[in-house]
Amino acid sequence: MNRLSVDLPGLQLKNPIMPASGCFGFGKEYGMLYDLSILGAIMIKATTLETRFGNPTPRVAETASGMLNAIGLQNPGLDGVMKEELPWLEQFDVPIIANVAGTETADYVEVAKTISTAPNVKALELNISCPNVKCGGITFGTDPEQAYELTAAVKAVSTVPVYVKLSPNVTDIKEIAKAVEAAGADGITMINTLVGMRLDRKTGRPIIANVTGGLSGPAIKPVAIRMVYEVSQVVEIPIIGMGGVSETDDVIDFLSSGASAVAVGTANFVDPFICPTIIEELPVKLDELGVEHISEIVGRSHRL
Amino acid sequence: MNRLSVDLPGLQLKNPIMPASGCFGFGKEYGMLYDLSILGAIMIKATTLETRFGNPTPRVAETASGMLNAIGLQNPGLDGVMKEELPWLEQFDVPIIANVAGTETADYVEVAKTISTAPNVKALELNISCPNVKCGGITFGTDPEQAYELTAAVKAVSTVPVYVKLSPNVTDIKEIAKAVEAAGADGITMINTLVGMRLDRKTGRPIIANVTGGLSGPAIKPVAIRMVYEVSQVVEIPIIGMGGVSETDDVIDFLSSGASAVAVGTANFVDPFICPTIIEELPVKLDELGVEHISEIVGRSHRL
Amino acid sequence: MMKDRMIVQSQRKLSDKIYEMKLKGDLVGEITSPGQFVHIRVTDSFEPLLRRPISIAAYDQAEKQMTIIYRAEGRGTTILSEKRAGDEMDVLGPLGNGFPVTETASGETAVLIGGGIGVPPLYELSKQLNKKGVRCIHILGFQSSEAVFYEKEFSLLGETYIATVDGSQGTTGFVTDVMGQIEEEFATYYSCGPMPMLKAVQATYSGKKGFLSFEQRMGCGIGACFACVCETSDNVSKPYVKVCSDGPVFEAGVVSI
Amino acid sequence: MMKDRMIVQSQRKLSDKIYEMKLKGDLVGEITSPGQFVHIRVTDSFEPLLRRPISIAAYDQAEKQMTIIYRAEGRGTTILSEKRAGDEMDVLGPLGNGFPVTETASGETAVLIGGGIGVPPLYELSKQLNKKGVRCIHILGFQSSEAVFYEKEFSLLGETYIATVDGSQGTTGFVTDVMGQIEEEFATYYSCGPMPMLKAVQATYSGKKGFLSFEQRMGCGIGACFACVCETSDNVSKPYVKVCSDGPVFEAGVVSI
Ligand SMILES: Cc1cc2nc3c(=O)[nH]c(=O)nc-3n(C[C@H](O)[C@H](O)[C@H](O)COP(=O)(O)OP(=O)(O)OC[C@H]3O[C@@H](n4cnc5c(N)ncnc54)[C@H](O)[C@@H]3O)c2cc1C
Ligand SMILES: Cc1cc2nc3c(=O)[nH]c(=O)nc-3n(C[C@H](O)[C@H](O)[C@H](O)COP(=O)(O)OP(=O)(O)OC[C@H]3O[C@@H](n4cnc5c(N)ncnc54)[C@H](O)[C@@H]3O)c2cc1C
Ligand SMILES: Cc1cc2nc3c(=O)[nH]c(=O)nc-3n(C[C@H](O)[C@H](O)[C@H](O)COP(=O)(O)O)c2cc1C
Ligand SMILES: Cc1cc2nc3c(=O)[nH]c(=O)nc-3n(C[C@H](O)[C@H](O)[C@H](O)COP(=O)(O)O)c2cc1C
Ligand code: FES
Ligand code: FES
């Protein structure tokens, strides 16, 4: 028996660890460092209908135990991803979760329809929470009705299960979660970044050219854990948790809070081998906790 | 001329630095370490109508560059504050900002009415954003209409200017800010803590007995700066900024983002002398920036 | 109370994960009783953010030197264990109210009961009691023989019984298992250790005059933040006490446990 | 590219805030050209979080040793400056594509123009060009005489002109003020420094074959995060390049500045 295996809609994962969207490109760079087949899955960079150059630089700024980014969904566009990136990833025995972004429902639908047909794309991750694009993105993620509509529209065309990625920048994340579940979402991924800002000490102006950026890294973990804890108690669909995962203990925390699998974002920049390291250490942690299979700790923070 | 003086409704501050509510008690403890008269002001611990014991312990937990707390507004109640705490503080030449909390409008009104008559209370800070009490508190801070009603009710009875303390746990903080301004608030204080959680590594259960707690410290500074930047551009009333201030440069950041004065919370626990240290270092910083008076940098992040 | 930049004089490993560190600085001059603690900032960075409360295990005012003994478990104490002689550290203290040596008269007997990292403050206490002419009996509980420390130091100050949970040294079980075996009369008891142990000790010695040192997670360490409160028993006038500034030592019966 | 735990061999202050550090490790064996950089994790904690990109200033593959020169300005580089010989550090590299030594033939002349902390990678470049028989002229710009470093080292490799903004050493003004004075013919130029300098250099030597090394704030350092992109000029087929993996060195004219 594989002690780390996780079964989710569309996804048979060898282990619950996957790089988070936007922090791993389309795998090529990290593929030079280790064999991508060891990963549970890969969440690829957001794909939009057209090629996007993204925001002006500077696009990143460091903060206390965190970082801000405002990449602006730079990507080669649906065509490029279908013709180059996804076929390249086929050499690995790893399910791909395609992060789908857009500015209006029609783009999302078109990207979802096409990308879900790629043989290695086993699930979609609907990005309704990107804080770094002017229109679209986060507005779908902060209004339960819009989130419902978009999810339903994408579900109608996708040939693979659809996970919806939630924004933490809301008064009540449970409402959004329930709305996307009602619309037919197969799972939830959470959280995307918190909107933040850093100023240049000399000029007093924002460092990020886009003014605001998305805060990620260990700093946001307490907020992410709280939200997974809340949402996992009001929805039936599984959650892939993320936000500040930087070491194996953090994975245990996310699973305990109610996530079924965990994505690693910013930590890849700090330690490019973090995913393989965590995968290696997980069985040791299970031994320490006296647990046979990783699923046993899912939701133990609120289980009776 | 005093290069650090700041004039705000009801408050003539020697300098823009004041301890944040809940992080300085009623001054007695820090008063053993330095002369409280050097401070710009003091925001005292939340006062409720009745004595409150607060939440069970553990009430604090450390997180990456931050901490969670769920004190639960423990305080000696209006009577105790009026009879013991405020008179004790009269020995110092420092304006007091009284943090007013409650569970329903009537309590807020009663506390505000009485406490605003204390001779050294120069302003109220309406706490509509405490995440750690079951009812009241934060619910007033997440709904613009409720925030409006409560502010108007308190304004009607207070004999001193009223500042309203905003919660960051909302989809759009600008709306709440505009609502309290419309209700007659004289100023805004922001931000209170983000709701977060930490689990025990062995049991997987929440460390904080109250389950969730409020996240404060350097980790939340990027969110606070972003929110002050946003709010200061949509309201005319002044802002007292806070969230992660730990060194003099952080004060410059908050002023640049649009705050007129700055409160220091968690950092008092890390360095009990942080307020006097910042007050001493500020003129040196102004020299470095080539600025004569501190007011010149207020809002420079978005000034043309 | 003062904030001092103290200098690390020495660091040595005593047993599994347990370290003894000696520190020098003016702060030592302000210590008034055994059982007070210091609040240590282990790094100048903001991660880990909070100070760590650690008891003063021994002090020498002439030399301006004090000893702390701690378990390197989490992030903060691990960083502490990496300090070397000569390093400087930001220490706030002495904090709180320690064990009252005055409550036992010369010629009387005191029982000192410690568990794990609750053992250290009893060392200075025993030294002071001994100096005063009090006879001390020590009962020290640990997980296993690998965790035991300062057995010899305590033995020099009085009879010393060890209990280990796994039975690898001394009595198998808890300190209370040893307590039951002691038949001598004593005037007072003093105890420091985890909450369940304090509870058991207080119950076993109910009716006796005793003093217990408590632990709570702390924020400020000086009484301002209300992080470290404990409810008091019904027969006490205040509804709560703060471990950091009212304690950490309370007379048995004061804190509701 | 590899992640190596390199050992600090030496650390020394060169001038105001500027430090030279020597590091040893297997990573050195993979360096292929001057102008490549390493991505350094200055602490094992998560604060500061991100790695810092620093150019390789010199390397010796036989000794597995490399030199970096950096300015201790912000939080990360200040921590770097506190390392002592014997300390270990997590270093990712070598990263990126450096200066093409092959673009200048033996017997030809190259002009190397550096500004501030852009000077270090030119040192290894000059060593390699010299070894090949290329004549090197160095133009190095600094804020003031206190900031000048490696003047002697460069002088040993060729004519070396210094410009300082405040005129306290060499020519008063910018590197471009020196460039105007050089009348000799040269085959290529190589430059590293702040963006305004690179812009001025490219404009002054327009039409000449040149190579510029760029800086951008980075996330991953290996091409995955799209933090460090630059727009390209209209005459290039790709709309953007990544400084970390396509650069940091680009032929003049490629990047839109
Ligand atoms: C008055 C007092 C005296 C103490 N004396 C000693 C002593 O002499 N020797 C010793 O080894 N330990 C002592 N402790 C316990 C010690 O403070 C904790 O073990 C230590 O803070 C844990 O820090 P960490 O970095 O290892 O753990 P982390 O897990 O990194 O700590 C995270 C946070 O939780 C707090 N925390 C975790 N465990 C405890 C605990 N048991 N008590 C209080 N706060 C905790 C930390 O202070 C920190 O804020 C004492 C505690 C108190 C309250
Ligand atoms: C390819 C490359 C090579 C470099 N080579 C050198 C060198 O040889 N010597 C040297 O002194 N400096 C070099 N730099 C600049 C150096 O990376 C920054 O000075 C350094 O990262 C600042 O870190 P800090 O901790 O001092 O500042 P902080 O203000 O603490 O930095 C905060 C964040 O901003 C980033 N940052 C700040 N300034 C810069 C900058 N100028 N360029 C890129 N990122 C920045 C940091 O990496 C960090 O993520 C190089 C930069 C690049 C991109
Ligand atoms: C540089 C960067 C780029 C990102 N790009 C995307 C993206 O394209 N799509 C998306 O859904 N999330 C994106 N994210 C958010 C991450 O997937 C993740 O939700 C977030 O960073 C929190 O996890 P972390 O703290 O582990 O980084 C990006 C994050 C970073 C740091
Ligand atoms: C232990 C603790 C207690 C607090 N109690 C209160 C309170 O009683 N009333 C209130 O308005 N805010 C309270 N706060 C919030 C702070 O005033 C401040 O808004 C917040 O901590 C952010 O600032 P900081 O990051 O500087 O701590 C408390 C914060 C802490 C850490
Ligand atoms: S730790 Fe702040 S009151 Fe005790
Ligand atoms: S730093 Fe990530 S792509 Fe260049």
Side-chain angles (χ1 to χ4, degrees):
Chain A
M1 191 196 62
N2 175 353
R3 303 173 69 188
L4 301 182
S5 65
V6 178
D7 264 21
L8 299 179
L11 301 165
Q12 293 214 309
L13 310 176
K14 291 185 211 63
N15 61 64
I17 306 302
M18 61 192 84
S21 178
C23 303
F24 208 73
F26 295 92
K28 288 213 174 88
E29 296 77 16
Y30 291 93
M32 293 189 288
L33 293 169
Y34 59 87
D35 176 9
L36 303 184
S37 299
I38 65 157
L39 295 168
I42 297 176
M43 292 168 145
I44 55 174
K45 176 84 193 148
T47 301
T48 53
L49 194 52
E50 311 293 343
T51 309
R52 281 181 67 112
F53 174 73
N55 294 320
T57 56
R59 292 175 169 189
V60 293
E62 198 181 49
T63 68
S65 295
M67 68 177 280
L68 295 166
N69 91 80
I71 307 297
L73 300 180
Q74 175 158 18
N75 79 94
L78 180 59
D79 241 37
V81 174
M82 290 297 288
K83 292 207 185 109
E84 302 230 341
E85 311 297 349
L86 286 169
W88 182 83
L89 280 163
E90 278 184 47
Q91 68 187 289
F92 304 102
D93 171 28
V94 63
I96 305 299
I97 302 176
N99 187 279
V100 172
T103 49
E104 47 189 75
T105 309
D107 324 342
Y108 275 102
V109 167
E110 200 164 332
V111 175
K113 195 169 165 181
T114 307
I115 211 165
S116 66
T117 63
N120 49 348
V121 169
K122 304 297 181 199
L124 303 188
E125 181 182 40
L126 203 55
N127 184 354
I128 60 166
S129 47
C130 181
N132 300 322
V133 288
K134 288 276 171 296
C135 49
I138 202 165
T139 55
F140 287 108
T142 53
D143 175 12
E145 268 174 56
Q146 284 195 52
Y148 180 97
E149 299 290 338
L150 185 69
T151 305
V154 166
K155 264 304 279 184
V157 300
S158 175
T159 60
V160 295
V162 175
Y163 291 69
V164 181
K165 184 159 183 181
L166 303 189
S167 166
N169 302 287
V170 293
T171 308
D172 186 0
I173 197 165
K174 299 189 295 298
E175 273 198 34
I176 316 278
K178 286 190 280 187
V180 304
E181 179 179 46
D186 300 284
I188 284 171
T189 66
M190 61 189 289
I191 59 175
N192 210 317
T193 52
L194 281 164
V195 183
M197 203 165 147
R198 181 173 166 181
L199 304 182
D200 182 89
R201 250 89 202 242
K202 281 201 189 106
T203 66
R205 296 276 173 182
I207 287 182
I208 302 261
N210 186 50
V211 178
T212 61
L215 182 63
S216 62
I220 69 168
K221 205 191 107 186
V223 174
I225 291 284
R226 184 262 297 182
M227 289 182 164
V228 171
Y229 176 89
E230 286 180 353
V231 169
S232 64
Q233 293 179 78
V234 299
V235 299
E236 302 284 322
I237 51 180
I239 296 172
I240 302 177
M242 69 194 86
V245 173
S246 308
E247 50 193 25
T248 307
D249 278 330
D250 297 329
V251 173
I252 303 295
D253 288 342
F254 271 92
L255 297 173
S256 302
S257 71
S260 298
V262 172
V264 182
T266 305
N268 289 290
F269 309 157
V270 180
D271 176 1
F273 291 97
I274 187 65
C275 288
T277 302
I278 290 176
I279 292 166
E280 211 178 289
E281 289 179 1
L282 270 177
V284 185
K285 272 292 158 203
L286 294 188
D287 288 344
E288 276 175 37
L289 293 169
V291 161
E292 184 51 41
H293 194 272
I294 193 139
S295 59
E296 295 169 45
I297 59 170
V298 172
R300 70 186 173 132
S301 63
H302 49 74
R303 247 189 286 128
L304 296 181
Chain B
M1 192 195 62
N2 176 352
R3 302 173 70 186
L4 300 182
S5 65
V6 178
D7 264 21
L8 298 178
L11 301 165
Q12 293 213 308
L13 310 176
K14 293 184 208 71
N15 60 66
I17 304 304
M18 60 192 83
S21 179
C23 302
F24 208 74
F26 294 93
K28 288 214 176 88
E29 296 77 17
Y30 290 92
M32 292 189 288
L33 294 169
Y34 59 86
D35 176 7
L36 303 183
S37 298
I38 66 157
L39 295 167
I42 296 175
M43 291 166 145
I44 55 174
K45 176 83 192 148
T47 301
T48 53
L49 195 52
E50 311 293 343
T51 308
R52 281 182 67 111
F53 176 71
N55 294 318
T57 58
R59 294 177 168 188
V60 293
E62 197 182 48
T63 69
S65 296
M67 69 176 279
L68 295 167
N69 89 79
I71 307 296
L73 301 181
Q74 175 158 19
N75 79 96
L78 181 60
D79 243 36
V81 174
M82 290 298 287
K83 292 205 186 111
E84 303 230 342
E85 311 298 346
L86 287 170
W88 183 84
L89 280 163
E90 277 184 48
Q91 67 187 290
F92 303 103
D93 172 27
V94 63
I96 305 299
I97 302 176
N99 189 278
V100 172
T103 49
E104 48 189 78
T105 310
D107 324 341
Y108 276 102
V109 167
E110 201 164 330
V111 175
K113 195 167 159 182
T114 306
I115 211 167
S116 66
T117 63
N120 51 346
V121 168
K122 303 298 183 198
L124 303 187
E125 182 182 39
L126 204 56
N127 185 355
I128 59 168
S129 45
C130 182
N132 299 324
V133 286
K134 288 278 171 292
C135 51
I138 203 164
T139 54
F140 286 107
T142 54
D143 175 10
E145 268 175 58
Q146 284 195 52
Y148 179 98
E149 299 290 338
L150 184 68
T151 306
V154 167
K155 263 304 278 184
V157 299
S158 174
T159 60
V160 295
V162 174
Y163 291 69
V164 181
K165 185 159 183 180
L166 303 189
S167 166
N169 302 289
V170 293
T171 308
D172 185 359
I173 197 167
K174 299 190 294 301
E175 273 197 35
I176 317 277
K178 286 190 280 188
V180 304
E181 179 179 45
D186 300 283
I188 284 172
T189 66
M190 59 189 286
I191 59 176
N192 211 318
T193 52
L194 282 162
V195 183
M197 202 165 147
R198 182 173 167 181
L199 304 182
D200 181 271
R201 249 91 200 242
K202 281 200 190 108
T203 65
R205 297 275 171 180
I207 287 183
I208 301 259
N210 186 48
V211 178
T212 60
L215 182 63
S216 63
I220 69 167
K221 204 190 109 186
V223 175
I225 292 283
R226 185 263 298 181
M227 290 184 163
V228 171
Y229 176 90
E230 285 179 356
V231 170
S232 64
Q233 292 179 79
V234 298
V235 299
E236 303 282 323
I237 52 178
I239 295 172
I240 301 176
M242 71 195 83
V245 173
S246 308
E247 50 193 23
T248 308
D249 277 331
D250 297 329
V251 173
I252 302 295
D253 288 343
F254 271 92
L255 297 173
S256 301
S257 71
S260 298
V262 172
V264 182
T266 304
N268 290 292
F269 309 157
V270 180
D271 176 1
F273 291 96
I274 187 64
C275 289
T277 302
I278 290 176
I279 293 166
E280 211 178 289
E281 288 179 1
L282 270 177
V284 185
K285 269 296 157 202
L286 294 188
D287 289 344
E288 274 174 42
L289 292 168
V291 161
E292 184 50 39
H293 193 274
I294 195 140
S295 60
E296 294 169 45
I297 59 171
V298 171
R300 68 186 174 133
S301 63
H302 48 75
R303 245 188 287 128
L304 297 182
Chain C
M1 172 189 16
M2 63 183 288
K3 195 179 83 141
D4 195 5
R5 282 202 78 88
M6 298 187 83
I7 313 285
V8 177
Q9 303 293 300
S10 67
Q11 167 97 272
R12 114 183 133 101
K13 199 170 178 182
L14 297 181
S15 65
D16 188 32
K17 289 190 184 162
I18 305 287
Y19 292 79
E20 174 205 71
M21 182 188 269
K22 298 201 163 152
L23 288 159
K24 190 167 191 145
D26 292 338
L27 184 155
V28 176
E30 306 206 355
I31 302 174
T32 55
S33 62
Q36 287 186 296
F37 68 100
V38 289
H39 215 25
I40 303 181
R41 188 166 172 196
V42 300
T43 163
D44 288 336
S45 124
F46 296 114
E47 169 53 30
L49 188 66
L50 297 174
R51 290 173 180 268
R52 300 297 193 258
I54 303 287
S55 303
I56 298 163
Y59 61 97
D60 178 337
Q61 275 165 334
E63 294 289 324
K64 291 188 177 181
Q65 188 169 291
M66 69 179 193
T67 304
I68 58 173
I69 297 172
Y70 61 94
R71 176 155 57 214
E73 187 90 67
R75 295 179 44 61
T77 49
T78 301
I79 293 174
L80 202 57
S81 72
E82 288 158 1
K83 304 276 174 196
R84 319 175 215 174
D87 286 350
E88 258 186 36
M89 252 180 357
D90 175 347
V91 183
L92 183 69
L95 300 177
N97 300 301
F99 291 107
V101 176
T102 47
E103 292 283 342
T104 316
S106 173
E108 290 183 333
T109 299
V111 184
L112 280 58
I113 309 125
I117 49 165
V119 168
L122 300 181
Y123 181 59
E124 178 67 36
L125 173 63
S126 184
K127 288 210 308 191
Q128 297 199 11
L129 289 170
N130 265 273
K131 202 162 162 194
K132 195 180 159 179
V134 172
R135 186 166 161 244
C136 292
I137 300 175
H138 312 111
I139 307 174
L140 312 177
F142 300 93
Q143 281 301 315
S144 69
S145 65
E146 280 109 66
V148 175
F149 60 90
Y150 262 42
E151 187 190 1
K152 215 176 79 200
E153 284 81 350
F154 276 100
S155 301
L156 295 172
L157 296 168
E159 268 167 79
T160 301
Y161 301 88
I162 304 285
T164 55
V165 177
D166 69 355
S168 50
Q169 188 173 340
T171 304
T172 302
F174 300 98
V175 287
T176 38
D177 296 313
V178 182
M179 286 163 67
Q181 300 164 23
I182 301 214
E183 287 169 9
E184 274 173 74
E185 274 303 305
F186 60 89
T188 39
Y189 71 92
Y190 298 91
S191 184
C192 183
M195 195 66 107
M197 186 195 99
L198 295 181
K199 196 171 172 165
V201 168
Q202 181 173 299
T204 309
Y205 283 167
S206 78
K208 284 282 186 182
K209 183 166 69 175
F211 298 90
L212 309 172
S213 181
F214 289 82
E215 272 187 17
Q216 275 285 11
R217 292 194 177 234
M218 292 187 176
C220 66
I222 64 173
C225 78
F226 295 90
C228 67
V229 297
C230 290
E231 269 185 87
T232 48
S233 332
D234 297 336
N235 52 339
V236 178
S237 65
K238 279 174 93 175
Y240 67 89
V241 286
K242 295 176 197 161
V243 168
C244 69
S245 53
D246 299 323
V249 176
F250 297 97
E251 182 155 8
V254 167
V255 172
S256 151
I257 45 179
Chain D
M1 174 187 18
M2 64 183 287
K3 192 178 84 138
D4 195 6
R5 280 202 80 87
M6 299 187 82
I7 314 283
V8 177
Q9 302 294 298
S10 67
Q11 168 94 274
R12 114 183 131 104
K13 198 169 177 180
L14 296 180
S15 64
D16 187 34
K17 288 189 183 161
I18 305 288
Y19 292 79
E20 175 205 70
M21 181 189 271
K22 299 202 160 144
L23 288 160
K24 189 165 192 149
D26 291 338
L27 183 155
V28 177
E30 306 206 355
I31 302 174
T32 55
S33 61
Q36 286 185 298
F37 69 98
V38 289
H39 215 24
I40 303 181
R41 187 165 173 197
V42 299
T43 164
D44 288 336
S45 125
F46 295 115
E47 168 53 29
L49 188 67
L50 298 174
R51 289 172 181 268
R52 298 298 192 260
I54 303 285
S55 303
I56 298 163
Y59 60 97
D60 178 337
Q61 273 163 335
E63 295 288 326
K64 293 189 176 179
Q65 186 168 293
M66 70 178 192
T67 305
I68 58 172
I69 297 172
Y70 61 94
R71 178 158 53 215
E73 186 90 66
R75 293 178 48 60
T77 51
T78 301
I79 294 175
L80 201 58
S81 71
E82 288 158 2
K83 304 274 175 198
R84 321 175 213 174
D87 286 350
E88 260 187 34
M89 254 181 354
D90 173 348
V91 182
L92 182 69
L95 301 176
N97 300 300
F99 291 106
V101 175
T102 47
E103 291 285 340
T104 315
S106 174
E108 289 183 334
T109 299
V111 183
L112 280 60
I113 310 127
I117 51 166
V119 167
L122 301 181
Y123 182 59
E124 178 68 36
L125 174 63
S126 185
K127 288 209 309 193
Q128 296 200 12
L129 288 170
N130 265 274
K131 201 162 163 192
K132 193 181 162 179
V134 173
R135 188 169 158 243
C136 292
I137 301 176
H138 312 110
I139 308 176
L140 311 178
F142 300 93
Q143 280 302 315
S144 69
S145 64
E146 281 107 66
V148 174
F149 61 89
Y150 262 43
E151 188 190 2
K152 214 177 80 197
E153 283 82 349
F154 276 99
S155 299
L156 295 172
L157 296 168
E159 268 167 81
T160 300
Y161 300 89
I162 304 286
T164 54
V165 177
D166 69 355
S168 51
Q169 187 173 342
T171 303
T172 302
F174 299 99
V175 288
T176 40
D177 295 311
V178 182
M179 286 162 68
Q181 299 163 25
I182 301 213
E183 285 167 11
E184 275 175 73
E185 275 302 307
F186 61 88
T188 40
Y189 71 92
Y190 299 91
S191 185
C192 183
M195 197 66 109
M197 186 197 98
L198 295 180
K199 195 170 175 166
V201 167
Q202 180 172 296
T204 309
Y205 284 166
S206 79
K208 284 283 189 182
K209 182 164 73 174
F211 299 89
L212 309 172
S213 181
F214 288 82
E215 272 187 15
Q216 275 285 14
R217 290 192 178 236
M218 292 185 176
C220 66
I222 65 174
C225 77
F226 294 92
C228 67
V229 298
C230 290
E231 271 185 84
T232 48
S233 336
D234 298 336
N235 51 339
V236 179
S237 65
K238 279 173 94 172
Y240 67 88
V241 287
K242 294 177 199 160
V243 167
C244 70
S245 53
D246 298 324
V249 176
F250 297 98
E251 183 155 10
V254 167
V255 172
S256 155
I257 46 177

